[in-house]
């Protein structure tokens, strides 16, 4: 039977050549002892959790064995430095906790793997390294998707001195972010490192220490020899250093030097930390399927726990027997706590599980003063400007938000000097300055990562994604990072934001798929994410204001602006029916209020209710006018909120109609109408239901788009069919 890593450690320490005399004090000895204690604590947690998993008490067995050298990184930092950690960071967590009196790292880790409701960070929702008191921000990433957030946090902390924001961390904090060698190849990691180099090249303050824990394996796939060092050391303006996890004294020195450089010079650095991986990728991984037994056994010689024990023995700080005693004492302590915590409380209801993403907080609207508004608008208030288009009222609403909230920032591609591709942010930089509205590099993952990190730092980010189709390559930053933070921190941390996205179809003379994308399915199934779609200039400002209020509650909001309606002025030719006077952000009358879950209705027809949103509102109103000429009266309901759908108001409105037609500009499969019809059926609506939508197709260029997009004629035909 092959020797396990635990058996190997015990055997080696039991047979280690002894040194005469008693343990003695040597320079750096306390640090080495602290490092060893953190490492053995982490090792025995991994061993205990494997045992609990066999008993079906533990549910997460991606361990830190072999990576315990990362404890040295924690020791090089302050416990007030925010940490976004790799999932093999048991050593770091133990060493960080040792810096904070009263911490209970063994219980913390065990609670997480036991899915215990007593877990101090996730409350039993997932096993993550996280703790508010230790400034460890929980990350669920396995592919480096937390790196853009880490970049964003460092970027935001670099801007704090020039803002009115007061973050939870000291002014000279360092952000530390760890990840694996395989993840270093992922686009999220490459994008974050590129953005870091991009900023550092320009002298932008960016206090972040990246730590690549290189064990040479991505589950079963080996990293090519020399590749990780070559790729990580090439980034311009980023300090790079290599360290071997089996050389603890040198590692402590290197990590301390890099941390101090980042702290004092406010520029990024990369620590390339060589590690090893024991016991496979996870409990279910049979690594013998892709590694020989000889390879596995040979790597026991690179154990960081034994390396630190050896350094202590060589320095005369511990005897081999003393090192073994500390190792076994850690085993006993962990085993005792594991037995004590088995059978602890678990989440017991759906409401308990979902509470962090569903519970609302009391509204606390903040309005700009009249003087602030005058300054923001240069003395020309939008309510005095007459009827405005959708683009114009969104522009005015953004200025009002920035005037009311000193922590609000607007950023994205071309939003600053140019004022956006469609002019929606025109003039905002002039009014508020380059610190509060700025252009980013062309990378949607970095844009959203900047929002994630900025929100953590205390800003109110309002990023722009230039086109809906461009969101898809970065959507996991919303799904896997933004929306999960409240969930996996039990509501203790949040990253409220309003992501403005220009999208949907019906642009004339321009477009094709990438500028006429009509797919929102990826946004509608993200738990906790709020998706709002303005349609008419009369309601758009209130809808945006509500999204800002929700963001201040910590909610992640997407405000999807229909491009084709930006500059539309008419409902019918020459009537200015698609413009409206701007209402300043005071308490609005009920007919224009847009609280989450509120719908808007147009018309008084009682034959058919047309349920729609976005471009569909204008098309439905035009179709309703045509139908009215033939004697069929329609009311148009603008959903406004596509996630979560406004079920109660939808059912209340539908109850007085015998017929409902759902008008959906998105696709037939996976489109919004599927959810609306389901809501009606589940809610007991007894009338006739029909839906009409665009085709299951990408949108082609030019007139060919008319063949696959929902048309007014389609709406008229659907109503005629349901009333015939």
């Amino acid at each position: 039977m092959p020797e396990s890593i635990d058996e190997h450690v015990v055997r080696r320490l039991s047979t280690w050549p002894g040194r005469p005399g008693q343990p003695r004090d040597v320079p750096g000895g306390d640090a080495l002892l602290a490092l060893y204690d953190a490492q053995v604590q982490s090792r025995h947690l991994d061993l205990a959790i494997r045992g609990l998993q066999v008993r079906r008490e533990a549910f997460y067995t991606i361990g830190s064995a072999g990576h315990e050298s990362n404890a040295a990184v924690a020791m090089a930092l302050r416990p007030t430095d925010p940490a976004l950690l790799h999932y093999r960071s048991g050593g770091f967590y133990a060493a960080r906790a040792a810096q904070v009196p009263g911490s209970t790292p063994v219980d913390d880790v065990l609670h997480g793997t036991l899915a215990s409701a007593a877990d101090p960070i996730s409350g039993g929702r997932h096993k993550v390294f996280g703790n508010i008191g230790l400034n460890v921000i929980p990350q669920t990433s396995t592919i480096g998707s937390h790196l853009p957030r880490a970049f964003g946090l460092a970027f935001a902390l670099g801007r704090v001195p020039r803002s009115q924001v007061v973050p939870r961390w000291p002014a000279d904090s360092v952000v530390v972010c760890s990840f694996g060698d395989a993840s270093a190849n992922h686009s999220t990691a490459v994008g974050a490192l590129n953005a870091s180099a991009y900023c550092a090249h320009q002298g932008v303050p960016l206090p972040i220490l990246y730590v690549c824990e290189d064990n040479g394996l991505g589950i079963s796939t080996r990293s090519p020899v020399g590749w990780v060092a070559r790729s990580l050391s090439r980034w311009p303006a980023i300090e790079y250093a290599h360290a071997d996890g089996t050389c603890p004294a040198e590692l402590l020195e290197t990590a301390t030097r890099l941390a101090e450089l980042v702290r004092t010079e406010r520029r990024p650095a990369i620590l390339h930390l060589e590690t090893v991986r024991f016991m496979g990728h996870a409990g279910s991984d049979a690594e013998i399927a892709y590694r020989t037994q000889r390879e596995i056994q040979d790597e026991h010689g690179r154990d960081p726990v034994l390396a630190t024990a050896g350094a202590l023995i060589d320095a005369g700080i511990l005897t081999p027997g003393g090192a073994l005693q500390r190792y076994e004492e850690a085993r006993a302590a962990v085993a005792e706590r594991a037995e004590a915590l088995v059978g602890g409380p678990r989440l017991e209801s759906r409401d308990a599980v979902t509470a962090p993403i569903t519970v609302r907080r009391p509204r606390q609207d903040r309005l700009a003063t009249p003087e602030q508004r005058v300054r923001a608008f240069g003395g020309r208030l939008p309510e005095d400007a007459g009827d405005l288009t959708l683009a114009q009222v969104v522009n005015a609403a953004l200025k009002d938000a920035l005037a009311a909230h000193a922590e609000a920032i607007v950023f994205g591609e071309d939003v600053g000097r140019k004022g956006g591709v469609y002019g929606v942010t025109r003039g905002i930089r002039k009014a508020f300055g380059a610190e509060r509205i700025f252009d980013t590099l062309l990378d949607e993952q970095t844009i959203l990562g900047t929002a994630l990190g900025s929100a953590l730092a205390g800003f109110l980010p309002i990023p722009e994604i230039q086109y809906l189709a461009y969101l898809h390559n970065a959507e996991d930053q919303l799904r896997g990072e933004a929306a999960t933070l409240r969930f996996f921190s039990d509501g203790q941390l949040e990253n409220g934001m309003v992501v403005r996205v220009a999208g949907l179809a019906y642009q004339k003379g321009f477009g094709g798929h990438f500028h006429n994308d009509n797919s929102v399915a990826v946004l509608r199934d993200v738990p906790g994410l709020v998706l709002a779609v303005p349609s008419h200039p009369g309601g758009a400002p209130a809808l945006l204001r509500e999204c800002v209020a929700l963001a201040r509650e910590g909610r992640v909001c997407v405000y999807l602006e229909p491009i084709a309606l930006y500059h539309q002025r008419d409902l019918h030719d020459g009537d200015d029916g698609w413009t409206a006077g701007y209402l300043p952000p005071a308490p609005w009358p009920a007919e224009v209020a847009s609280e989450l879950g509120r719908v808007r209705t147009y018309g008084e027809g009682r034959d058919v209710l047309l349920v729609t949103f976005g471009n569909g509102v204008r098309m439905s109103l035009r179709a309703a006018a045509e139908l009215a000429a033939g004697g069929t009266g329609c009311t148009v309901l603008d959903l406004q909120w596509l996630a979560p759908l406004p079920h109660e108001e939808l059912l209340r409105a539908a109850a007085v109609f015998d017929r409902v037609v759902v008008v959906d500009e998105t696709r037939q499969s996976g489109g919004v109408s599927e959810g609306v019809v389901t809501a009606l059926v589940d809610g007991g609506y007894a009338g006739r239901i029909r839906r009409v939508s665009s085709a299951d197709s990408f949108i082609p260029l030019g007139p060919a788009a008319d063949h696959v997009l929902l048309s007014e004629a389609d709406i008229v035909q659907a109503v005629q069919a349901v009333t015939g």
Side-chain angles (χ1 to χ4, degrees), residues 360 448 451-452 460-465 471 478 482-483 486 495-501 523 526-533 543-560 596 641 643-644:
R360 296 292 306 276
L448 294 178
L452 293 170
L460 174 58
I462 309 176
E464 177 184 298
I465 301 296
L471 175 68
L478 295 180
R486 289 182 74 179
N495 40 214
M497 66 186 70
V498 182
V499 184
R500 293 181 46 252
V501 183
L523 294 170
V526 180
L529 184 143
V530 173
L531 174 58
V533 182
L543 201 63
L544 182 58
R545 178 190 176 194
E546 177 69 5
C547 285
V548 169
L550 290 167
R552 295 187 67 222
E553 286 186 30
R555 302 294 290 267
V556 178
C557 302
V558 175
Y559 188 77
L560 178 58
L596 180 63
W641 305 98

Side-chain angles (χ1 to χ4, degrees), residues 2-9 11-12 276-279 293-304 306:
E3 185 179 51
S4 71
I5 185 59
D6 182 41
E7 292 168 336
H8 179 76
V9 172
R11 179 177 62 80
R12 286 291 312 280
V276 64
R277 190 190 75 190
F278 297 138
M279 299 190 288
Q293 194 63 60
R294 178 63 181 270
E295 288 174 333
I296 296 170
Q297 292 295 308
D298 284 350
E299 291 212 329
H300 288 177
R302 298 175 56 208
D303 184 2
L306 278 175

Side-chain angles (χ1 to χ4, degrees), residues 553-710:
E553 286 186 30
R555 302 294 290 267
V556 178
C557 302
V558 175
Y559 188 77
L560 178 58
E561 301 164 8
I563 296 171
L565 299 179
Y566 269 150
H567 305 298
Q568 181 61 248
R569 299 197 65 89
D570 297 337
L571 174 58
H572 304 289
D573 291 345
D575 69 350
D576 269 353
W578 220 254
T579 62
Y582 183 79
L583 289 175
W588 280 313
E591 60 268 22
V592 297
S594 296
E595 287 85 1
L596 180 63
R598 292 285 298 273
V599 302
R600 290 168 62 88
T601 57
Y602 301 84
E604 298 179 352
R606 285 294 175 261
D607 294 316
V608 179
L609 178 68
L610 301 177
V611 178
T612 188
F613 61 93
N615 292 291
V617 176
R618 182 173 182 273
M619 290 192 294
S620 294
L621 287 170
R622 289 170 60 87
E626 180 179 339
L627 289 160
T632 300
C634 298
T635 291
V636 175
L637 183 149
D638 180 0
L639 290 165
Q640 298 194 112
W641 305 98
L642 301 189
L645 283 170
H647 291 83
E648 292 184 9
E649 294 218 351
L650 169 64
L651 290 168
R652 189 179 302 118
V656 298
F657 289 87
D658 294 327
R659 306 169 187 86
V660 171
V661 173
V662 183
V663 178
D664 181 7
E665 64 179 285
T666 63
R667 300 169 190 169
Q668 186 176 32
S669 299
V672 176
S673 57
E674 291 181 340
V676 175
V677 171
T678 300
L680 290 167
V681 173
D682 288 351
Y685 176 70
R688 296 183 64 184
I689 305 172
R690 191 176 183 91
R691 70 183 178 114
V692 59
S693 64
S694 295
D696 287 340
S697 172
F698 300 110
I699 300 172
L701 188 65
D706 295 337
H707 299 307
V708 296
L709 289 175
L710 173 72

Side-chain angles (χ1 to χ4, degrees), residues 120-397:
I121 189 63
S122 79
R125 292 170 183 83
H126 194 37
K127 161 61 179 70
V128 288
F129 286 113
N131 188 299
I132 302 301
L134 302 181
N135 293 293
V136 177
I137 300 162
Q139 305 300 311
T140 63
S141 167
T142 59
I143 53 167
S145 62
H146 59 303
L147 270 72
R149 182 204 296 274
F151 160 81
L153 179 54
F155 178 83
L157 291 179
R159 299 177 79 86
V160 160
R162 304 185 300 279
S163 74
Q164 297 182 40
V165 169
V166 180
R168 66 172 70 217
W169 300 287
D172 64 346
S173 292
V174 169
V175 178
V176 60
C177 176
S178 56
F179 56 100
D181 54 295
S183 295
N185 299 303
H186 199 273
S187 63
T188 48
V190 174
L193 293 171
N194 179 76
S196 299
Y198 182 92
C199 289
H201 174 74
Q202 301 174 81
V204 175
L206 200 76
I208 186 167
L209 173 61
Y210 292 106
V211 181
C212 179
E213 300 183 16
D214 181 4
N215 63 30
L217 285 166
I219 304 182
S220 66
T221 303
R222 285 199 170 278
S223 295
V225 175
W227 167 249
V228 177
R230 181 104 182 244
S231 64
L232 293 179
S233 61
R234 69 181 176 84
W235 292 106
I238 299 181
E239 188 80 10
Y240 168 86
H242 171 271
D244 188 334
T246 62
C247 300
E250 292 85 346
L251 169 57
L252 282 165
E253 182 181 353
T254 301
T256 300
R257 176 179 63 82
L258 283 185
E260 187 62 20
L261 180 147
V262 175
R263 193 179 309 280
T264 57
E265 299 186 17
R266 316 308 281 166
R267 63 186 179 94
I270 296 172
L271 173 62
H272 177 195
L273 175 57
E274 277 196 54
T275 64
V276 64
R277 190 190 75 190
F278 297 138
M279 299 190 288
H281 172 70
S284 60
D285 176 35
E287 63 178 346
I288 195 64
Y290 53 87
R291 303 179 75 193
T292 68
Q293 194 63 60
R294 178 63 181 270
E295 288 174 333
I296 296 170
Q297 292 295 308
D298 284 350
E299 291 212 329
H300 288 177
R302 298 175 56 208
D303 184 2
V305 171
L306 278 175
T308 305
L312 288 163
I313 294 168
D314 289 344
I317 301 169
L318 285 181
T319 64
L324 179 58
Q325 180 180 350
R326 290 177 99 96
Y327 186 80
E328 293 299 343
E329 286 173 349
R331 185 199 305 276
V334 169
E336 179 186 358
R337 294 309 300 156
E339 289 304 316
L341 298 180
V342 165
R346 297 256 170 86
L347 293 167
E348 295 182 346
S349 69
R350 177 181 295 184
D351 288 345
V353 172
T354 61
I357 54 175
T358 57
V359 171
R360 296 292 306 276
R361 295 205 299 261
R363 285 184 68 104
Q364 293 183 347
D365 281 346
R366 185 192 300 163
L367 302 179
T369 65
E371 294 76 17
Q372 288 173 324
R373 295 194 72 235
V374 167
R375 287 196 299 272
F377 291 102
R380 298 185 293 275
L381 296 177
E383 55 265 37
D384 299 329
D387 290 339
L388 303 175
T389 64
L390 180 64
Q392 290 171 325
V393 297
V394 171
N395 176 281

Side-chain angles (χ1 to χ4, degrees), residues 464-477:
E464 177 184 298
I465 301 296
Q466 200 167 83
Y467 289 100
L468 177 58
Y470 298 173
L471 175 68
H472 301 309
N473 65 46
E475 185 265 340
D476 185 57
Q477 289 296 299

